[in-house]
Amino acid sequence: MNRGDGLVQRRNVSREATDSAQRDGDDGDKKLDLDEEAGDGDSKETRLTLMEEVLLLGLKDKEGYTSFWNDCISSGLRGCILIELALRGRIELEKAGMRRKSLLSRKIIMKSDTPTGDVLLDEALKHMKEMDPPETVQSWIEYLSGETWNPLKLKLQLKNVRERLAKNLVEKGVLTTEKQNFLLFDMTTHPVTDNTAKSRLVKKVQDSVLSKWVNDPHRMDKRLLALLFLSHASDVLENAFAPLNDDDYEVAMKRIRDLLELDYEQESLKTNTNELLWAVFAAFTK
């Protein structure tokens, strides 16, 4: 999960959405629905989780699979799961205390065990609920990825995450399912079938660091900020930036570098922030 220095190469809320959110019994999910609707203006037809967005950026449109050389997306998707649970109000970091523990030394604690309705999120939430004593962000990324030397923790691994997320995207009409023959074996692939949804996602990422750049992470939508960080951590951000002209590409990459060079400890102390969000960022850039 340790990363090398540098980067990879190259509205209005509708009444229907508001009413739907108010019927939802969970405050975290209500805020999530409203933030998504207001944040990018997409219809509810292709509303995606953070994990699904990162996977979609990483998938080759026609081939329907991620790069065989990408060894970062597995842990990156687990980071997405932690942030998604935090934004939905299910988990948080323990208090820093008088001695101001660092982000990476603080444990994840349960805030609410109410199911989210998403199978992957609820599986991770169940593991966290049963963990005693609690563990840190970095430990949970390793456990959920299966990258741990402790055999007793291997049962915490979330298996077949990419395939399960791809099936979610198939159900949402964004991908389709095919079989491809690779000499000695057949592999299930998931080519993009809804190019509009993929194009909207790419444009959202591009606009966030170009036409809609605010030069202050605390003025950015938290999910969009997380998407930028974790797309980079998963080595899929280049897929969104590659179509840009040279000048825009340089501007976009410089602004991503600015985000990566922030002092996460200091950023987590500011008002109206989510400490667990910054702890996940810190785990991928330590």
Side-chain angles (χ1 to χ4, degrees):
M1 191 172 63
N2 293 338
R3 302 292 311 279
D5 292 338
L7 293 166
V8 296
Q9 295 179 344
R10 173 120 138 146
R11 117 215 338 103
N12 292 330
V13 180
S14 68
R15 174 174 292 275
E16 180 183 354
T18 304
D19 291 344
S20 174
Q22 289 174 342
R23 288 194 296 269
D24 191 333
D26 182 80
D27 291 341
D29 286 337
K30 285 194 293 185
K31 188 176 187 307
L32 175 71
D33 291 342
L34 292 172
D35 283 350
E36 284 182 338
E37 195 73 16
D40 52 33
D42 290 348
S43 70
K44 291 191 290 186
E45 295 176 4
T46 52
R47 183 176 298 164
L48 309 179
T49 65
L50 188 58
M51 303 89 73
E52 291 165 353
E53 288 182 322
V54 169
L55 179 66
L56 185 55
L57 285 177
L59 282 175
K60 300 174 185 291
D61 290 6
K62 294 181 180 179
E63 293 87 344
Y65 51 82
T66 57
S67 170
F68 294 128
W69 308 109
N70 188 338
D71 59 355
C72 299
I73 194 169
S74 177
S75 56
L77 289 173
R78 272 63 174 190
C80 290
I81 289 172
L82 295 183
I83 288 181
E84 191 80 57
L85 286 171
L87 295 180
R88 293 184 185 219
R90 299 315 197 275
I91 59 175
E92 63 183 356
L93 278 190
E94 67 177 340
K95 302 302 180 186
M98 295 293 292
R99 299 181 63 182
R100 293 300 314 172
K101 285 184 181 179
S102 69
L103 290 171
L104 294 182
S105 66
R106 293 158 65 183
K107 315 291 187 181
I108 292 180
I109 59 175
M110 187 70 58
K111 191 175 180 182
S112 168
D113 61 359
T114 304
T116 66
D118 181 283
V119 175
L120 271 175
L121 294 179
D122 289 343
E123 186 178 336
L125 192 65
K126 179 177 181 290
H127 288 324
M128 292 180 185
K129 181 181 179 181
E130 295 172 351
M131 178 62 71
D132 186 24
E135 291 281 4
T136 63
V137 163
Q138 192 159 13
S139 292
W140 271 116
I141 292 173
E142 292 171 358
Y143 295 158
L144 297 177
S145 302
E147 298 175 357
T148 174
W149 293 100
N150 187 340
L152 299 178
K153 303 296 184 183
L154 288 175
K155 63 182 180 180
L156 302 174
Q157 180 182 4
L158 297 180
K159 298 181 179 179
N160 304 316
V161 167
R162 270 175 273 189
E163 179 64 20
R164 292 160 75 180
L165 290 173
K167 287 181 178 178
N168 287 350
L169 289 168
V170 170
E171 292 177 2
K172 293 179 179 182
V174 179
L175 305 179
T176 188
T177 301
E178 295 180 355
K179 288 279 188 182
Q180 286 198 29
N181 181 269
F182 288 87
L183 297 179
L184 299 177
F185 62 94
D186 289 331
M187 185 175 83
T188 300
T189 62
H190 299 283
V192 174
T193 186
D194 184 354
N195 290 314
T196 301
K198 178 71 175 278
S199 297
R200 273 203 307 263
L201 174 60
V202 169
K203 187 176 187 303
K204 179 171 72 171
V205 171
Q206 293 175 350
D207 287 350
S208 68
V209 291
L210 292 173
S211 62
K212 296 181 180 179
W213 177 248
V214 294
N215 201 32
D216 179 358
H218 297 279
R219 292 173 55 203
M220 294 178 67
D221 174 76
K222 291 183 178 63
R223 287 176 55 78
L224 185 54
L225 180 64
L227 177 60
L228 292 177
F229 269 95
L230 290 173
S231 294
H232 174 264
S234 302
D235 273 351
V236 301
L237 189 59
E238 165 69 10
N239 296 346
F241 288 169
L244 296 173
N245 63 51
D246 290 347
D247 290 342
D248 284 346
Y249 181 87
E250 289 303 319
V251 170
M253 295 302 265
K254 180 185 182 304
R255 288 171 175 171
I256 291 297
R257 280 194 296 270
D258 290 342
L259 289 177
L260 295 172
E261 291 170 1
L262 290 171
D263 184 330
Y264 303 137
E265 295 287 348
Q266 290 300 314
E267 297 300 326
S268 71
L269 298 176
K270 296 181 180 179
T271 57
N272 192 30
T273 191
N274 187 308
E275 292 179 308
L276 195 142
L277 193 90
W278 294 102
V280 172
F281 297 165
F284 282 102
T285 54
K286 65 181 291 292

